Amino acid sequence: MSKRFYLTTAIAYPNGRPHMGHAYEAIASDAVARFKRLDGYDVRFLTGTDEHGLKIAQAARAVGVEPRAYVDGTVQPFIELDRQLGISFDRFIRTTDDDHKALCQALWQRMADKGDLYLDRYEGWYSVRDEAYYDESELVAAEDAQGLPVKLSPQGTPVEWTVEESWFFKLSAYAEPLLKLYADQPDFIQPSSRFNEMRAFVDGGLKDLSMSRTSFDWGVPVPGSTGHVMYVWVDALANYLTGAGGSDGEWWPADLHIIGKDVVRFHAIYWPAFLMSANLPLPKIVFGHGFVLNRGVKMSKSDGNVVDPAEMATRFGVDRLRWFLLREVAFGEDGSYSDEAIIERTNADLANGIGNLAQRALSMVAKNLGGAMPGPGPSAGADLLAESMQTLTEAYFAAMNGLQLHRALEAVMAMVNAANGYFADNAPWKLAKTDVAAMSHVLHATLDATRRIVLMVQPVMPEASQRLLDLLGVTADARTFRELDVIVSIGLQLPEPQGVFPRWAEPA
RNA sequence: GGCAGCGUAGCUCAGUUGGUGAGAGCGCCGGAUUCAUAACCCGGAGGUCGGCAGUUCAAAUCUGCCCGCUGCUACCA
């Protein structure tokens, strides 16, 4: 029985082009997926798009096409971005997929069978122009032509108190079970700051949830209830089940849902409540990551600071971008990016750090040993280096398993520093003139440390890692974490060394 | 308004249950070196640990108040 790991990203809403937030979430999730695969897990990695809902319908109507045709077009840039970024998803799910529709209806039926769904009236402030309900708190006060106070939607459109028939879910009945879940499983919601917020929210009592709409039809039809389509979040959250192979799918429950901090409530409250209602197992962990901001400022089209992640990846390179986002931003916290920050960070870590370490040792092997991989032997500080590598490797695994991605990379950089220090202390370039055997021992130890470092960096920089491992003589079948202690064959002819991480020089 | 959290070197941040002289990375300065991608290695510069007042033999670490910031939530309307 092999170890299994099922993780998901949130599904993106394709009513525009993908932005940096999508890239960030995809990259972080991909790093986790790749880490688990290298660690011997059988991994299922799901990502995709959330294609139903009013906004999509409106956007489609605005350009005069059917919703399905509209999303068939807008989904493409999301898939292309994932491909460009090297996202190793096993399935790109679209909520318009046939199996998903069937799954949603089956899930709905299970909740109905449980007696948790009932028909009632939904009342609220409705904007005809927006075709949307707004919460009281979202309304803004204004004055009409006569100077009388009126309420407007956040978009400034008129709203009126409206009553509509709707299916409701007995969310209120799940406050206690949810609190028990939180108490029993404190790491269900991460980071912990989000956990506290959700517990406080549930602690304050839960209202039943409107689960269907009759004002538009771009959604999954409610079984046996003509005119009703499911509330988009039912449809959206259920994608995780569809991607698992269905309600009884072999991959359910999910081990990890990676989502943005803005949708934590849906995943930490509604979703487990739905699943409890349907008598299905709950996901293990919901992780709400932060936002990456352009120079610390939220992107907006009006400010003209919207950055196209595809363009960014093309300019800097996928691996450089991936490294920056996962190393610089504390996973779970908000972060900031800029050209300067990306260049500085990657020059320091990749060019000066990992790349230079590999290059300085490899070039000595090429020049002094004819490119033949040297074998181990005694050298000053070798034990200390080995000890550091061991300790830091443990720190790396602990951090990765704890979703502290930035901490894991911090540990990796500490390994680079340790290896560079060891190398400098032993000055193999001097030994080359006095004691070639001693020199080769130093080169072996350095290259082996580099090999370990690159193995651990694979989840973050899959492409560059492969090239580096090629240069280090690590065969394709010796690149998982099980081979962490397997040294390269002594005497193996290494390829001509070449820089993998060139230093970024800003064009004048 | 309530709840929670934050405010530590130029920048990003670590700092278990209060106790050796307050730390890391980046940036900066100096030294050393030349294998390497002007990279690496060593050393240094030093910040009232947001402010004030307390508790204590002793507080960045506890208490109260104040200032600033963030998240969640509520309400006035």
Side-chain angles (χ1 to χ4, degrees), chain A residues 122-294:
Chain A
Y122 186 85
E123 303 182 29
W125 294 101
Y126 186 73
S127 164
V128 176
R129 202 177 306 171
D130 296 347
E131 285 194 67
Y133 280 97
Y134 293 103
D135 191 78
E136 184 87 44
S137 63
E138 294 180 278
L139 302 182
V140 294
E143 294 183 348
D144 64 14
Q146 281 73 45
L148 297 171
V150 295
K151 298 176 198 305
L152 298 178
S153 76
Q155 276 70 43
T157 59
V159 295
E160 54 189 84
W161 188 257
T162 306
V163 178
E164 174 184 15
E165 187 184 63
S166 172
W167 285 95
F168 280 80
F169 170 63
K170 289 184 184 171
L171 182 62
S172 58
Y174 287 90
E176 285 308 317
L178 285 169
L179 289 173
K180 183 176 188 311
L181 164 68
Y182 302 155
D184 293 346
Q185 214 177 310
D187 60 353
F188 177 68
I189 307 166
Q190 295 182 38
S192 58
S193 55
R194 301 293 156 202
F195 173 83
N196 293 331
E197 288 173 4
M198 290 306 109
R199 189 175 51 190
F201 184 85
V202 175
D203 221 14
L206 295 173
K207 292 181 203 161
D208 287 352
L209 191 64
S210 171
M211 293 282 276
S212 72
R213 294 296 134 86
T214 56
S215 53
F216 61 92
D217 63 2
W218 181 236
V220 178
V222 171
S225 188
T226 309
H228 286 260
V229 294
M230 293 183 199
Y231 173 46
V232 289
W233 271 104
V234 180
D235 173 7
L237 290 164
N239 94 83
Y240 305 131
L241 269 180
T242 306
S247 303
D248 304 312
E250 57 169 330
W251 289 95
W252 194 255
D255 293 279
L256 174 64
H257 289 315
I258 291 180
I259 59 171
K261 65 179 184 179
D262 54 331
V263 291
V264 169
R265 185 198 294 182
F266 301 99
H267 288 77
I269 297 176
Y270 299 168
W271 184 225
F274 293 169
L275 291 167
M276 287 178 194
S277 173
N279 290 322
L280 291 169
L282 308 183
K284 301 291 195 301
I285 293 174
V286 171
F287 189 97
H289 66 251
F291 296 147
V292 285
L293 311 175
N294 186 1

Side-chain angles (χ1 to χ4, degrees), chain A residues 293-344:
Chain A
L293 311 175
N294 186 1
R295 294 181 183 282
V297 179
K298 190 154 187 168
M299 292 190 294
S300 71
K301 287 169 185 162
S302 58
D303 289 345
N305 64 348
V306 176
V307 173
D308 177 4
E311 189 275 332
M312 197 80 126
T314 299
R315 188 150 51 96
F316 288 113
V318 170
D319 288 319
R320 191 183 262 108
L321 181 63
R322 289 175 61 117
W323 176 268
F324 172 81
L325 289 173
L326 300 185
R327 159 84 158 126
E328 182 91 353
V329 181
F331 196 49
E333 307 282 310
D334 285 351
S336 176
Y337 65 89
S338 65
D339 287 3
E340 296 75 44
I342 293 173
I343 292 166
E344 189 175 300

Side-chain angles (χ1 to χ4, degrees), chain A residues 361-376 436-437 439-445 447-448 470-474 487-497:
Chain A
L362 286 172
S363 77
M364 283 203 70
V365 170
K367 289 177 186 171
N368 297 286
L369 300 174
M373 182 66 197
V436 173
M439 174 205 73
S440 70
H441 298 158
V442 173
L443 295 181
H444 169 84
L447 287 175
D448 196 56
D470 287 344
L471 293 174
L472 291 167
V474 181
I487 65 171
V488 173
S489 302
I490 298 164
L492 180 75
Q493 184 64 38
L494 299 178
E496 185 71 17

Side-chain angles (χ1 to χ4, degrees), chain A residues 372-390:
Chain A
M373 182 66 197
S379 65
D383 291 346
L384 204 62
L385 173 64
E387 195 180 310
S388 295
M389 291 298 295
Q390 183 57 38

